[in-house]
Amino acid sequence: MFNLFKKKKNKASILSITVPDQGWNKLSEDEDAVRWVNPQQSALIVLHFFDKEPDLPTAKDLDYLKKFYRNIAATSNGGTIETDILHIHDIPAVKTIIKIPQQETGMVYIASLTIPFENCSYVVKIQANEIGITGMRDAVILSRLMETGEVELDEETMTNWFEDPYDADFKQGTPMNKSELEKYDPEFPEHPLSVARSLIKKIAAEMVFDPTIKELPSFKK
């Protein structure tokens, strides 16, 4: 006999995950995304919910993901800062930080966490733009490293400044430069990369899943 009153499983939604929003202004909220902005830092936090099978190639093969996101960044003349796999409440997630050149000057830094399941996924994205006078962090660290001889500069070439963090031979796009290493963030706490990197770390540590998330079939790839 059929059980006509069989309880339906809870369905995940944009409300199934809560992220620390820093008290920023909420720009919008719908069933697909919630957006917060901090105009003073020219930064944006977005929580996305995709109610379909993820297009992420894998959440297990880190070497493949490094190549995957490196190529994505390079197609926009950008570069990879970080690619990693971590676990949030025991669920695999892919963390990335990339940079994309702005039209006029400076960079846009995009940090993201992708949390895939079999039939849906969540993506938390932080976008922080360089505004005003750009390149100060680069200039300070470049000058310091040239004084120590770690970076050499002549009329045509710059040695040991630009380098993809995972493949020194990859030269497409705009590879990461030495000033973008995390160890320099404390010296430039208001720099958009420092903001994006610290926020994505905070969100990964403090985001909350409701019980619906634990019922979702896991991502197999």
Side-chain angles (χ1 to χ4, degrees):
M1 183 176 179
F2 294 107
N3 183 355
L4 300 178
F5 301 98
K6 185 176 180 181
K7 184 179 180 181
K8 294 182 179 180
K9 290 185 178 180
N10 292 327
K11 182 173 174 59
S13 72
I14 192 70
L15 302 177
S16 300
I17 285 184
T18 303
V19 302
D21 60 22
Q22 311 303 302
W24 292 5
N25 297 329
K26 184 183 289 187
L27 279 181
S28 63
E29 178 177 354
D30 53 46
E31 63 183 14
D32 299 319
V34 187
R35 300 171 181 84
W36 299 268
V37 67
N38 183 344
Q40 293 180 343
Q41 292 178 319
S42 189
L44 182 74
I45 300 174
V46 186
L47 170 64
H48 293 278
F49 174 60
F50 298 98
D51 193 12
K52 61 183 179 180
E53 182 179 345
D55 59 4
L56 188 72
T58 178
K60 298 178 181 178
D61 188 338
L62 182 56
D63 287 338
Y64 186 91
L65 286 169
K66 288 175 179 177
K67 296 174 184 176
F68 179 73
Y69 284 105
R70 176 191 303 135
N71 290 331
I72 287 177
T75 60
S76 298
N77 197 33
T80 295
I81 304 295
E82 182 180 348
T83 304
D84 200 6
I85 297 171
L86 51 139
H87 287 76
I88 302 174
H89 303 301
D90 298 322
I91 295 174
V94 177
K95 175 185 176 182
T96 64
I97 304 176
I98 65 173
K99 64 175 181 177
I100 305 294
Q102 298 183 108
Q103 284 190 348
E104 297 297 329
T105 183
M107 293 285 168
V108 177
Y109 292 91
I110 302 170
S112 66
L113 289 169
T114 301
I115 308 165
F117 297 94
E118 185 177 56
N119 298 309
C120 66
S121 64
Y122 292 85
V123 178
V124 182
K125 181 186 293 183
I126 297 161
Q127 179 175 316
N129 299 26
E130 280 193 283
I131 57 175
I133 300 175
T134 64
M136 292 299 295
R137 174 171 175 157
D138 306 52
V140 170
I141 301 304
L142 176 59
S143 177
R144 185 184 304 172
L145 297 182
M146 287 179 61
E147 288 179 3
T148 64
E150 185 175 342
V151 173
E152 296 182 356
L153 176 66
D154 59 32
E155 292 182 358
E156 297 183 355
T157 62
M158 183 180 293
T159 305
N160 202 31
W161 176 246
F162 292 104
E163 185 174 285
D164 180 272
Y166 307 116
D167 184 354
D169 295 326
F170 188 84
K171 304 300 182 183
Q172 299 177 38
T174 307
M176 179 179 180
N177 69 58
K178 287 289 192 294
S179 76
E180 292 165 329
L181 292 169
E182 187 171 3
K183 67 181 180 180
Y184 297 120
D185 286 0
E187 295 184 53
F188 305 92
E190 301 301 318
H191 188 274
L193 175 57
S194 304
V195 171
R197 189 151 41 199
S198 64
L199 275 180
I200 206 69
K201 187 180 297 184
K202 179 180 177 66
I203 287 172
E206 298 181 8
M207 67 165 44
V208 177
F209 294 169
D210 77 12
T212 306
I213 297 296
K214 293 293 185 180
E215 298 176 6
L216 295 173
S218 60
F219 186 64
K220 306 299 185 192
K221 296 180 184 179

